[in-house]
Amino acid sequence: MASGGEAPESWYLALLGFAEHFRTSSPPKIRLCVHCLQAVFQFKPPQRVEARTHLQLGSVLYHHTKNSELARSHLEKAVASSESLPQFEDVKFEAASLLSELYCQQNLVDSAKPLLRKAIQISQQTPYWHCRLLFQLAQLHTLEKDLVSACDLLGVGAEYARVVGSEYTRALFLLSKGMLLLMERKLQEVHPLLTLCGQIVENWQGNPIQKESLRVFFLVLQVTHYLDAGQVKSVKPCLKQLQQCIQTISTLHDDEILPSNPADLFHWLPKEHMCVLVYLVTVMHSMQAGYLEKAQKYTDKALMQLEKLKMLDCSPILSSFQVILLEHIIMCRLVTGHKATALQEISQVCQLCQQSPRLFSSHAAQLHTLLGLYCISVNCMDNAEAQFTTALRLTTHQELWTFIVTNLASVYIREGNRHQEVSLYSLLERINPDRSFPVSSHCLRAAAFYIRGLLSFFQGRYSEAKRFLRETLKMSNAEDLNRLTACSLVLLGHIFYVLGNHRESNNMVVPAMQLASKIPDMSVQLWSSALLKDLNKACGNTMEAHEAAQMHQNFSQQLLQDHIAACSLPEHNLISWTDGPPPVQFQAQNGPTTSLANLL
């Protein structure tokens, strides 16, 4: 204890020094740190010291313990006691920001909003805090799916940043708004806003890492916009720029010099997170284009990077990146004939979603969609129907809805069940590519033509089937949609074979086989090899027919072995799950190990 004659500053600084020493020890001694800070109150400190100590205690308890109630109590006292203090902005606004975060964690959003609004109202003379609190409230509205309010706040932030002379933070606000407008599919508003952002980014002269990070943000929005529209070929120049940009960033050293304008004290994402994000959009592109080995390569790189980052950083965005990467590679595995591995990775997504209710709520529809695709691959069509129906119930995302409906229609067509005809025609009417198609995606519209062609083929209406499939080919060739091209070619080849036009059939099946081998797509390879065997047999080409039969046998064996391996895994029981959170008892047990198993 300090003696009565000692200046208050000395005992305060001593206790603060001890608290910081215990907090930064290895391992941290949080209990002793908290004791030192609590001891400050025994000296009846001035109001400023009291408010700051409540903030420090609230912060330590919030970040380092599970005692959220005590953290909340200290932060509420920090907010209340700093309210009447003049020129005490750092404590006042940090306490409000942290307390709002804690309220959101406790699902007390209605307490967080007015607190942030009040702090925003009184922080206009403090550019850093005003911008930060606007970002925070916009994020809160985004999490609540109130994108209109979030966009309004980001617009206010952009104008404020312009007034205080921060073109850098103005660009951050505008790019964030552009991201939300893309999510809302307000494309007419997105285009002029992205054009303005591009001009601001190019004209801004400042810290090279900050400038390049703005360019990455801008290019990521452009690339995802193209990919959402299914324009796999058109996106290539933007994607190349993005990849060059991230290489530039990785060679730059972080500049420790702080910006002169306090409103510029923001970073969009850490360099390492940006790197993973660029891998992620590259995987998305490779999967859509049908370069599945390239998708695998970049997924492995991204997951290794994520594994390293998650050892040091528990940021929720890393788990989101991980789930999206796994969702894409699972679809690739199902195409390449690795169903057992895909099923184990679906189980890994379940585990990640179990750890975060928010992650599960935003990815539940995708998870059921993946299970539906897996069910198709193992010919469990009733389960596929149940999974897709569940996914439709859970999604409000138009592109995902259209993707699910397209796959559900394919299930009904393959089943050929007359009782499902009404459901099938109802679905096809809702994704009619000749009329008002529900989304602007080039890829999904091409897939809708393919589904129409498939139905016409099964119904024996071959002229109509050829019209639909030629439309698919025209669209898929325009945007390098290799998998749709391969599927359309082999189906056209099958139609010509049925019609007895063996030459034309061969002209379709041979390129389909070549493309399917390049992807590689096991189902199309199996289908093509069966057709080549029959074609060559019909034409009297004994040697070629034997080679094709051997190929068909090899593909059949591979697919059969994988089918047996997948269906024997405990995770296969997930195909029956259609309600609530993922069942714990079906998580990975002693199934075959994969190259990714240890990364997660």
Side-chain angles (χ1 to χ4, degrees):
M1 297 284 282
S3 64
E6 237 178 326
E9 287 80 2
S10 58
W11 59 257
Y12 175 58
L13 292 174
L15 285 170
L16 211 57
F18 277 125
E20 185 61 9
H21 166 73
F22 291 130
R23 189 185 71 83
T24 55
S25 296
S26 184
K29 297 172 181 173
I30 299 303
R31 191 168 57 83
L32 293 173
C33 169
V34 168
H35 282 326
C36 289
L37 290 171
Q38 284 173 330
V40 170
F41 299 124
Q42 294 181 24
F43 291 85
K44 302 284 188 288
Q47 193 178 352
R48 283 175 179 266
V49 172
E50 185 182 322
R52 190 180 291 280
T53 306
H54 278 303
L55 170 60
Q56 288 163 331
L57 270 165
S59 179
V60 167
L61 289 163
Y62 176 62
H63 289 115
H64 298 281
T65 76
K66 291 180 180 176
N67 197 340
S68 54
E69 285 305 315
L70 189 56
R72 178 177 153 187
S73 168
H74 281 294
L75 290 171
E76 284 172 342
K77 286 172 184 171
V79 168
S81 54
S82 64
E83 219 166 25
S84 58
L85 293 170
Q87 297 174 338
F88 206 42
E89 284 78 6
D90 57 337
V91 170
K92 198 178 294 184
F93 301 132
E94 188 176 345
S97 173
L98 204 53
L99 181 55
S100 299
E101 207 176 295
L102 195 151
Y103 280 151
C104 289
Q105 203 178 73
Q106 296 183 327
N107 292 320
L108 299 169
V109 174
D110 290 336
S111 299
K113 284 180 193 171
L115 183 61
L116 285 172
R117 285 195 198 103
K118 185 176 180 183
I120 287 166
Q121 203 174 354
I122 60 173
S123 63
Q124 292 192 30
Q125 302 308 310
T126 317
Y128 167 74
W129 276 109
H130 192 64
C131 290
R132 180 168 158 177
L133 293 162
L134 280 167
F135 274 127
Q136 192 173 345
L137 185 53
Q139 184 181 26
L140 198 160
H141 282 300
T142 304
L143 291 172
E144 285 203 304
K145 296 188 167 46
D146 179 4
L147 301 188
V148 174
S149 299
C151 281
D152 288 345
L153 283 163
L154 294 168
V156 168
E159 180 55 24
Y160 176 82
R162 188 191 66 78
V163 169
V164 297
S166 173
E167 285 296 283
Y168 168 75
T169 301
R170 181 188 177 203
L172 276 181
F173 274 115
L174 290 173
L175 288 165
S176 301
K177 184 177 178 180
M179 180 172 68
L180 298 189
L181 290 171
L182 279 173
M183 286 165 67
E184 282 194 286
R185 301 293 177 265
K186 292 189 174 175
L187 302 184
Q188 288 183 326
E189 292 178 51
V190 168
H191 294 140
L193 189 138
L194 284 183
T195 303
L196 173 62
C197 288
Q199 291 166 355
I200 294 171
V201 171
E202 289 311 311
N203 294 334
W204 186 68
Q205 301 301 317
N207 180 312
I209 284 188
Q210 284 184 308
K211 185 179 175 79
E212 289 304 310
S213 76
L214 284 179
R215 289 191 73 223
V216 169
F217 195 171
F218 173 68
L219 288 166
V220 162
L221 291 186
Q222 284 204 309
V223 169
T224 49
H225 179 34
Y226 275 118
L227 291 178
D228 267 355
Q231 295 175 327
V232 173
K233 188 176 183 180
S234 308
V235 76
K236 284 181 179 177
C238 275
L239 184 60
K240 194 171 181 184
Q241 279 184 61
L242 177 59
Q243 289 162 342
Q244 288 168 344
C245 198
I246 202 69
Q247 284 177 339
T248 304
I249 284 186
S250 61
T251 62
L252 294 171
H253 295 290
D254 289 314
D255 196 345
E256 293 300 321
I257 301 166
L258 291 175
S260 55
N261 189 337
D264 284 347
L265 285 165
F266 294 96
H267 283 290
W268 173 49
L269 278 177
K271 218 163 42 169
E272 298 77 14
H273 291 202
M274 280 190 267
C275 186
V276 174
L277 182 57
V278 174
Y279 281 142
L280 174 54
V281 294
T282 304
V283 167
M284 289 165 72
H285 174 261
S286 301
M287 195 211 74
Q288 273 199 38
Y291 306 130
L292 302 194
E293 286 177 349
K294 188 177 177 185
Q296 172 67 65
K297 183 179 104 177
Y298 281 106
T299 299
D300 285 346
K301 283 186 176 184
L303 288 172
M304 283 171 68
Q305 183 92 344
L306 277 169
E307 183 194 20
K308 290 174 191 169
L309 290 173
K310 286 182 90 171
M311 288 176 183
L312 308 166
D313 183 351
C314 56
S315 170
I317 199 169
L318 296 179
S319 293
S320 294
F321 286 165
Q322 193 173 0
V323 166
I324 298 167
L325 276 163
L326 284 168
E327 286 170 353
H328 282 79
I329 203 60
I330 287 161
M331 287 188 276
C332 293
R333 304 257 197 234
L334 293 172
V335 173
T336 57
H338 297 97
K339 297 185 278 288
T341 308
L343 185 56
Q344 290 180 313
E345 286 163 346
I346 290 172
S347 178
Q348 289 166 4
V349 175
C350 288
Q351 289 176 52
L352 287 165
C353 287
Q354 279 173 348
Q355 293 160 21
S356 164
R358 183 172 284 159
L359 201 58
F360 177 63
S361 107
S362 57
H363 288 269
Q366 290 91 316
L367 199 42
H368 285 288
T369 304
L370 291 170
L371 280 167
L373 295 173
Y374 167 75
C375 291
I376 291 176
S377 76
V378 291
N379 209 29
C380 296
M381 294 302 178
D382 288 346
N383 295 99
E385 182 184 357
Q387 290 297 338
F388 289 138
T389 306
T390 302
L392 286 174
R393 192 181 76 240
L394 293 170
T395 191
T396 55
H397 189 279
Q398 275 293 92
E399 272 77 7
L400 181 57
W401 181 90
T402 308
F403 179 78
I404 297 164
V405 166
T406 305
N407 281 285
L408 182 55
S410 82
V411 169
Y412 288 151
I413 291 167
R414 289 177 206 204
E415 285 283 80
N417 188 333
R418 294 192 66 80
H419 298 298
Q420 295 169 336
E421 274 189 12
V422 176
S423 302
L424 172 59
Y425 286 112
S426 166
L427 287 178
L428 290 175
E429 203 45 49
R430 296 169 82 180
I431 53 164
N432 189 337
D434 282 325
R435 296 208 196 107
S436 52
F437 196 62
V439 291
S440 59
S441 171
H442 183 93
C443 180
L444 286 171
R445 189 162 171 261
F449 275 117
Y450 176 78
I451 287 295
R452 292 256 163 180
L454 188 67
L455 176 63
S456 300
F457 166 71
F458 274 104
Q459 292 174 335
R461 301 203 306 269
Y462 298 128
S463 295
E464 188 178 85
K466 284 191 280 184
R467 181 182 82 78
F468 286 129
L469 292 170
R470 282 177 177 139
E471 200 60 44
T472 304
L473 272 179
K474 188 170 77 177
M475 291 185 75
S476 54
N477 283 332
E479 283 293 344
D480 289 350
L481 304 170
N482 289 332
R483 192 154 178 258
L484 265 178
T485 301
C487 291
S488 304
L489 284 171
V490 74
L491 184 48
L492 274 168
H494 203 136
I495 290 167
F496 284 118
Y497 176 75
V498 171
L499 293 171
N501 189 340
H502 294 162
R503 186 178 164 192
E504 199 60 40
S505 177
N506 195 65
N507 288 344
M508 299 292 155
V509 178
V510 169
M513 184 60 145
Q514 290 167 344
L515 198 49
S517 305
K518 184 179 160 191
I519 291 171
D521 185 324
M522 282 292 278
S523 297
V524 175
Q525 284 177 297
L526 184 73
W527 190 357
S528 300
S529 59
L531 270 172
L532 284 172
K533 178 188 70 173
D534 293 343
L535 267 171
N536 283 303
K537 197 173 174 183
C539 296
N541 302 328
T542 313
M543 186 72 74
E544 287 87 346
H546 177 72
E547 284 174 10
Q550 192 58 55
M551 268 198 299
H552 186 260
Q553 176 71 10
N554 292 342
F555 292 134
S556 297
Q557 281 300 312
Q558 285 178 53
L559 283 167
L560 182 61
Q561 285 167 11
D562 184 51
H563 181 100
I564 293 166
C567 294
S568 65
L569 288 171
E571 294 92 333
H572 181 73
N573 291 305
L574 280 166
I575 68 172
S576 305
W577 161 60
T578 54
D579 194 35
V584 181
Q585 65 267 36
F586 298 143
Q587 300 314 319
Q589 294 174 23
N590 296 320
T593 56
T594 76
S595 60
L596 302 178
N598 297 325
L599 298 184
L600 303 168

